[in-house]
Amino acid sequence: MLKLLLLVTLLKQIIFSAVIPLWHGPDEQAHFAQVQYFAEFGRPVANDNRVKDLSQEIFISEQLLGTARTEFGKNKFTHNPAYRIEYAHGTAGKYESIINNLPTYTRTNFIKFEATRYPPIYYYLSAIPYRATYNLGLIDRVFATRIISIILSLGTVWLSFKIGALLFPRQPILPITLATFVSFHPMLSFLSSSVNSDNLMNFIFTLALYWCVVIITSPKLTLTATLGLL
């Protein structure tokens, strides 16, 4: 059952990732900006308010797609549910060709302050698919980078099952039920389909909960001994 749930979760997250438009994930452009900076220069954004961190490439795409924020943090979608980008004929979006063919130099021409500047682990991991698809356009690199969030979501679901198995050892249906609730949580599914470091936080927090449950259900174990249980 667990393997089937993980497979379904993987397929669900791939579909979510494929249909959620560019920059429609929570603060996705800001998180991807830090991924891009890390991938381009091999280091996190400097902790210096004078260092701009949003590339011209991302900013141009935001302007075309209506997600560029004003000084008040609003864009064309904010408080305007009727706003829609004009549909294009065929399978390519209206601005897709422009966005995917922006000059390479726009990736390292930083013109604005918007990157997250959070701890680097998530961005280090996300830089791997970014670099693997470096010769592709922006849209392709963003969707490739979303893979890291999908992988982390699988880990979170798996750990949820492990927690349930410890809490309900005599009721095998409950661990898979708990993991299913986690897998199909609407906001978690949405978040796990976009570039966002909260996905790593959710995984680490669930891992910490698992260790706590191990200690509670096995009082004789020390915290050091639990590190090898995974």
Side-chain angles (χ1 to χ4, degrees):
M1 288 293 292
L2 177 60
K3 291 181 180 179
L4 178 60
L5 176 60
L6 292 176
L7 177 60
V8 171
T9 301
L10 175 62
L11 295 176
K12 171 180 65 72
Q13 292 306 129
I14 291 174
I15 293 172
F16 266 61
S17 178
V19 300
I20 294 175
L22 192 67
W23 312 140
H24 280 230
D27 297 319
E28 186 171 42
Q29 79 291 339
H31 290 281
F32 185 80
Q34 187 165 343
V35 173
Q36 185 174 59
Y37 194 100
F38 197 102
E40 295 289 344
F41 297 105
R43 64 179 187 276
V45 180
N47 189 21
D48 186 340
N49 292 332
R50 297 169 297 178
V51 178
K52 295 181 179 179
D53 47 35
L54 187 78
S55 71
Q56 183 181 10
E57 180 185 46
I58 295 175
F59 186 63
I60 290 174
S61 69
E62 287 191 85
Q63 288 180 309
L64 293 172
L65 298 174
T67 62
R69 299 181 180 185
T70 66
E71 58 182 318
F72 302 105
K74 298 181 179 181
N75 57 41
K76 292 183 179 180
F77 291 90
T78 309
H79 310 308
N80 187 14
Y83 178 77
R84 295 288 187 276
I85 296 176
E86 181 182 348
Y87 288 106
H89 299 290
T91 58
K94 183 177 180 181
Y95 303 111
E96 185 171 337
S97 178
I98 298 174
I99 294 172
N100 267 339
N101 289 285
L102 290 170
T104 304
Y105 72 83
T106 61
R107 304 179 187 183
T108 54
N109 182 26
F110 295 91
I111 62 175
K112 191 179 177 183
F113 301 96
E114 196 170 355
T116 51
R117 304 194 181 198
Y118 289 160
I121 297 177
Y122 175 81
Y123 306 98
Y124 173 81
L125 295 173
S126 297
I128 297 173
Y130 180 102
R131 290 174 176 142
T133 56
Y134 192 81
N135 293 327
L136 301 179
L138 174 63
I139 296 175
D140 301 308
R141 278 177 281 127
V142 172
F143 282 85
T145 303
R146 288 177 174 181
I147 292 174
I148 297 300
S149 294
I150 294 175
I151 294 173
L152 290 171
S153 72
L154 291 175
T156 301
V157 171
W158 178 74
L159 284 171
S160 300
F161 176 85
K162 298 283 285 185
I163 291 172
L166 288 173
L167 293 175
F168 311 107
R170 299 180 182 179
Q171 298 171 294
I173 192 64
L174 293 182
I176 197 68
T177 301
L178 173 62
T180 301
F181 281 148
V182 172
S183 172
F184 286 89
H185 188 284
M187 188 59 203
L188 186 63
S189 295
F190 178 49
L191 179 69
S192 300
S193 303
S194 62
V195 181
N196 194 305
S197 62
D198 286 358
N199 292 297
L200 178 60
M201 184 276 291
N202 289 335
F203 174 78
I204 293 175
F205 189 81
T206 308
L207 180 61
L209 284 177
Y210 172 69
W211 284 340
C212 291
V213 174
V214 168
I215 295 172
I216 292 171
T217 56
S218 305
K220 294 182 180 181
L221 290 178
T222 64
L223 179 59
T224 302
T226 65
L227 297 179
L229 294 179
L230 290 176

